[in-house]
Amino acid sequence: MQMNTWFWRGMLLLALPMASAQAQDISLQQSRKIISEAMELYGSEKRDAAIRLLESIHPGDTSYAEAQLLAADMSFDKKDYKKSKMHALQSLYMPSARRNAAYNLLALSYHHLGVNDSSDYYSELGLNAFPFDALLAYNRGLALNARG
């Protein structure tokens, strides 16, 4: 009888990580669905609804950085530079394959807000991390040229 109890305890310990992984996959699938829905809304000119939908993704989700970067890009397109800056910063706090885009959006948002020191700071950080990113270098040049 005692051996049977130990067997079931061992099985339970093996099953817990699998249940956790399945829950994580469900969350990831739902966030991917949310991102797809937000892109559809954005395509149909419902930008505010798309941004709100992206903001609903939990910071613990693996797609959070991507969602924040998309929200930053959409906010920038609406010329809401403060919101774009906020979302781009949130994206930088998480691991992401598109950190260069976050640096670019931050530098551009600060430039449009007239905060040149911060614009320079983030464009330099981005260019130090991604020295061959042509868009970062191009937008840095445009910002410097606009100042005269």
Side-chain angles (χ1 to χ4, degrees):
M1 173 115 167
Q2 188 173 11
M3 180 121 164
N4 195 17
T5 304
W6 285 108
F7 172 77
W8 287 112
R9 285 183 184 169
M11 292 302 290
L12 180 63
L13 287 174
L14 289 173
L16 284 176
M18 289 187 289
S20 174
Q22 286 176 343
Q24 196 171 21
D25 287 345
I26 290 169
S27 174
L28 177 60
Q29 289 170 357
Q30 289 174 345
S31 65
R32 290 284 177 206
K33 183 180 174 188
I34 289 170
I35 289 171
S36 294
E37 288 174 18
M39 295 302 288
E40 287 177 24
L41 285 170
Y42 185 74
S44 62
E45 302 295 320
K46 297 177 181 172
R47 292 181 173 105
D48 291 329
I51 292 168
R52 279 194 304 276
L53 200 56
L54 290 168
E55 290 172 342
S56 72
I57 294 177
H58 189 273
D61 195 289
T62 55
S63 297
Y64 180 74
E66 180 183 350
Q68 290 298 308
L69 191 56
L70 284 170
D73 199 21
M74 291 176 185
S75 298
F76 188 86
D77 192 39
K78 284 180 41 187
K79 298 185 182 351
D80 187 350
Y81 304 119
K82 287 184 181 182
K83 202 167 192 178
S84 176
K85 172 185 64 107
M86 178 194 73
H87 287 297
L89 277 170
Q90 289 299 316
S91 174
L92 275 181
Y93 293 138
M94 303 299 212
S96 170
R98 299 197 53 226
R99 292 177 69 82
N100 57 331
Y103 283 121
N104 193 38
L105 281 167
L106 272 167
L108 285 171
S109 295
Y110 277 117
H111 169 71
H112 286 286
L113 289 169
V115 186
N116 294 329
D117 291 343
S118 294
S119 175
D120 293 344
Y121 175 75
Y122 283 107
S123 64
E124 287 174 20
L125 274 179
L127 285 169
N128 285 336
F130 304 96
F132 301 110
D133 189 301
L135 191 57
L136 268 168
Y138 176 75
N139 285 329
R140 168 98 168 126
L142 286 180
L144 290 173
N145 189 44
R147 287 187 231 160

